[in-house]
Amino acid sequence: MKDTLLAICQNTTTHDKAKNISSAISMIEQAAQKKAQLVMLPEIFFYPYELQNLAAIAEEYGDTPALLSQKAKELGIFLCAGSLPIKEKGKLYNRACLFGPDGTLLLQHDKCHLFDVDLPDLKTSESAVFTPGATAQVVDTEIGTIGMLICYDIRFPELARKLALCGAEIILVPAAFNTITGPAHWHTLFRTRAIENQCYVAAASPARNNNAGYRAYGHSMVIDPWGEIIAEADIGEEIIYAELSEKKLLDTRSRLPLLKHRRPEIY
Amino acid sequence: MKDTLLAICQNTTTHDKAKNISSAISMIEQAAQKKAQLVMLPEIFFYPYELQNLAAIAEEYGDTPALLSQKAKELGIFLCAGSLPIKEKGKLYNRACLFGPDGTLLLQHDKCHLFDVDLPDLKTSESAVFTPGATAQVVDTEIGTIGMLICYDIRFPELARKLALCGAEIILVPAAFNTITGPAHWHTLFRTRAIENQCYVAAASPARNNNAGYRAYGHSMVIDPWGEIIAEADIGEEIIYAELSEKKLLDTRSRLPLLKHRRPEIY
């Protein structure tokens, strides 16, 4: 990997999709102005995470991805366009897209694990709405080998591990934990994925919107390969920046060579 | 599993092995007096974790395990006898033993991942001293299905996951993190193993001994299946107690059924 300035846009998602998109674009432009080379948006960055409404605001792969691809090209940045609800052949996917500085779609990831839970004050069934993805991959770029996961995927150590074994140095995770799972698990899970896989992990959440039916946890953050949080947002709309360092990654991996100490024959 | 009172004896390990054993036994007796049904000691509970000295104080599987087995029987408790350096056919293993209330050896675990690191202020090569274990298993008992790991094993998500998939409800981890890796990773890693595997995780450390060549982190703790730390020691000699609740385990697993949401076909 190369030293890279990463920015996460923790944007507010209201019930006005067009306004959310234009405000996200404006945050991306601000981040690029501050020299960010890799910019990231959260899970379903253009609407509150209200499952019952996502099918209605979903799109075929078309206008919004095209706009984001064009923006990546115009600004000459890598852009992880958070995730979008994408309709395809009658199915709905929760899809993250990574565009390169020439606008190319470099990588896409469909959320593989769907959040079907029955917690006190939180009952939800994503599998009633979304079709899960079936793969997780990485892409080699000039700034590093990048993999993506979406939100609930982070709870499953196997998937981040798969990306690491495929060479991931940076794992981008658009996510929308809530005010129950966030305080309980957000920092712990994301930090562990960075520690055990010795890579950079970036978690992008929407800002908290108390007028929405789903209250995102916020606290977007970037974690280094030793597990330190090197940038963290509060709960409001905010852009955070973090320097990803090649030296830090290589030092961590050489001094505590976890990935070489695996014992796959036992697992 | 059944509701169970677990105790961790965070004993001080000095350079007097006989004294350490007798003091550990006395702590086990205290814990049993307070009605603990499952009692646990830390990694290499009878000597400071000074690698250069461990071969000299190691034993064949003999007197010390026999003493601990007898103590488990006398007190009618499950006893995780931390770990011991055990010589076997010219090799040395870092071995954890679990005795039942009738004194039977129910389960043993040889540390599978050896800590070979080159950190600032901490260079160590366990593989120069120990032979690694080659399996990880669980045992069904009347208080629950129990698995064991040792220290560095916890950094590898695959091994705790293997135990969980074999049915582990309680994972016992004798460990001796130090004052560098402890503050950086101890709480985060152990909590994540509990969260992602939805089981009780108990981490037993020796007390900090500033006169020893290896300064253990302390902070023995018990974590519930939701990831909450329900008991935690400071750095000194101390016994901590925690109630393991069947209801908490079942509730967590039914409300957020992570283990059922795995997608092994993708990994």
Side-chain angles (χ1 to χ4, degrees):
Chain A
M1 66 172 291
K2 271 193 199 166
D3 291 356
T4 301
L5 184 64
L6 164 67
I8 298 179
C9 303
Q10 179 170 294
N11 66 310
T12 304
T13 53
T14 71
H15 292 95
D16 183 339
K17 175 176 156 181
K19 187 179 149 210
N20 298 334
I21 293 176
S22 105
S23 128
I25 293 278
S26 145
M27 291 175 85
I28 294 166
E29 289 168 343
Q30 276 179 60
Q33 249 179 356
K34 296 231 175 165
K35 310 287 184 206
Q37 297 148 281
L38 170 59
V39 180
M40 203 184 156
L41 295 171
E43 187 178 15
I44 311 292
F45 74 91
F46 65 34
Y47 210 78
Y49 202 76
E50 298 160 353
L51 272 178
Q52 70 280 12
N53 297 326
L54 295 187
I57 57 114
E59 304 175 356
E60 304 282 330
Y61 189 90
D63 289 353
T64 306
L67 182 66
L68 294 160
S69 152
Q70 191 189 354
K71 191 50 66 177
K73 185 173 177 180
E74 176 194 321
L75 300 171
I77 57 170
F78 289 85
L79 176 60
C80 169
S83 83
L84 294 159
I86 295 286
K87 286 190 261 189
E88 201 173 88
K89 297 180 187 165
K91 292 178 176 173
L92 189 63
Y93 297 90
N94 187 336
R95 179 169 298 171
C97 296
L98 177 69
F99 299 102
D102 63 355
T104 315
L105 177 64
L106 298 175
L107 183 67
Q108 64 177 47
H109 175 73
D110 292 338
K111 189 174 188 173
C112 290
H113 299 89
L114 298 179
F115 190 57
D116 293 348
V117 299
D118 179 10
L119 289 168
D121 303 323
L122 178 66
K123 294 183 203 317
T124 184
S125 174
E126 287 188 354
S127 64
V129 176
F130 288 113
T131 298
T135 58
Q137 290 166 324
V138 301
V139 62
D140 289 321
T141 75
E142 67 192 58
I143 57 170
T145 302
I146 300 177
M148 295 191 294
L149 300 174
I150 299 179
C151 199
Y152 191 51
D153 286 333
I154 203 71
R155 290 187 177 266
F156 300 83
E158 296 91 343
L159 210 58
R161 181 63 112 208
K162 182 177 177 177
L163 297 179
L165 294 178
C166 291
E169 297 162 317
I170 304 167
I171 298 180
L172 304 176
V173 193
F177 274 40
N178 54 61
T179 52
I180 296 167
T181 57
H185 300 151
W186 176 263
H187 297 87
T188 302
L189 287 171
F190 283 89
R191 286 189 60 212
T192 294
R193 298 300 169 242
I195 293 166
E196 67 197 7
N197 295 302
Q198 305 193 304
C199 56
Y200 281 95
V201 172
S205 168
R208 179 100 35 100
N209 175 358
N210 288 327
N211 298 318
Y214 185 94
R215 297 187 186 180
Y217 181 53
H219 292 276
S220 295
M221 59 185 174
V222 184
I223 302 153
D224 77 15
W226 182 246
E228 270 189 77
I229 297 171
I230 54 173
E232 181 175 352
D234 201 330
I235 62 174
E237 186 159 279
E238 184 179 347
I239 306 176
I240 60 169
Y241 298 87
E243 277 286 358
L244 312 190
S245 153
E246 180 186 27
K247 182 172 183 304
K248 179 82 192 179
L249 183 121
L250 295 178
D251 279 1
T252 305
R253 290 185 176 194
S254 71
R255 290 177 175 173
L256 179 63
L258 279 178
L259 295 170
K260 289 184 188 157
H261 287 165
R262 293 177 68 249
R263 304 280 314 277
E265 69 280 15
I266 306 183
Y267 309 145
Chain B
M1 66 173 290
K2 269 193 198 164
D3 291 355
T4 301
L5 183 63
L6 163 66
I8 299 179
C9 303
Q10 179 170 294
N11 66 310
T12 304
T13 53
T14 69
H15 293 94
D16 183 339
K17 175 176 157 183
K19 186 181 150 206
N20 298 334
I21 293 176
S22 106
S23 129
I25 294 277
S26 146
M27 291 175 84
I28 294 167
E29 288 169 344
Q30 276 179 59
Q33 249 179 357
K34 295 232 176 162
K35 309 288 183 204
Q37 297 148 281
L38 170 58
V39 180
M40 204 185 156
L41 295 171
E43 186 178 17
I44 313 292
F45 74 91
F46 65 32
Y47 210 77
Y49 202 75
E50 297 160 356
L51 273 178
Q52 71 279 14
N53 298 324
L54 294 186
I57 57 116
E59 305 174 358
E60 304 282 328
Y61 188 90
D63 289 354
T64 305
L67 182 66
L68 294 160
S69 152
Q70 191 190 353
K71 192 49 68 178
K73 185 174 176 180
E74 178 195 319
L75 300 171
I77 57 170
F78 290 85
L79 176 59
C80 170
S83 82
L84 292 161
I86 295 284
K87 287 190 261 189
E88 202 173 87
K89 297 180 187 166
K91 292 180 176 170
L92 190 64
Y93 296 91
N94 187 336
R95 179 171 297 170
C97 296
L98 178 68
F99 299 102
D102 63 356
T104 315
L105 176 64
L106 298 174
L107 183 66
Q108 64 178 46
H109 175 72
D110 292 339
K111 190 173 188 174
C112 289
H113 299 87
L114 299 180
F115 190 58
D116 293 348
V117 300
D118 178 11
L119 290 168
D121 303 325
L122 178 66
K123 295 184 202 315
T124 184
S125 173
E126 287 189 352
S127 64
V129 175
F130 288 114
T131 298
T135 58
Q137 292 167 324
V138 301
V139 61
D140 289 322
T141 76
E142 66 191 63
I143 58 172
T145 302
I146 300 176
M148 297 192 293
L149 301 173
I150 299 177
C151 199
Y152 191 51
D153 286 335
I154 203 72
R155 288 187 179 267
F156 300 83
E158 296 92 343
L159 209 59
R161 181 63 113 207
K162 182 177 177 179
L163 297 180
L165 294 177
C166 289
E169 296 161 320
I170 304 167
I171 298 181
L172 304 176
V173 193
F177 274 40
N178 53 62
T179 52
I180 296 167
T181 57
H185 300 150
W186 176 262
H187 297 88
T188 302
L189 287 172
F190 283 89
R191 286 189 59 212
T192 295
R193 298 301 167 242
I195 294 166
E196 68 197 5
N197 294 302
Q198 305 193 305
C199 56
Y200 281 96
V201 172
S205 168
R208 177 103 33 102
N209 174 358
N210 287 326
N211 297 317
Y214 185 93
R215 298 191 184 175
Y217 181 54
H219 293 277
S220 295
M221 60 186 175
V222 184
I223 302 153
D224 77 16
W226 183 246
E228 270 189 77
I229 296 171
I230 55 173
E232 180 175 353
D234 201 327
I235 62 172
E237 186 158 279
E238 187 179 345
I239 306 175
I240 59 168
Y241 298 87
E243 276 287 357
L244 312 190
S245 152
E246 179 185 26
K247 182 173 184 302
K248 180 80 191 180
L249 183 120
L250 295 177
D251 280 0
T252 305
R253 290 185 174 193
S254 71
R255 289 175 175 173
L256 180 64
L258 279 178
L259 294 170
K260 290 185 188 157
H261 287 165
R262 293 176 68 249
R263 304 279 314 277
E265 70 280 16
I266 306 181
Y267 309 145

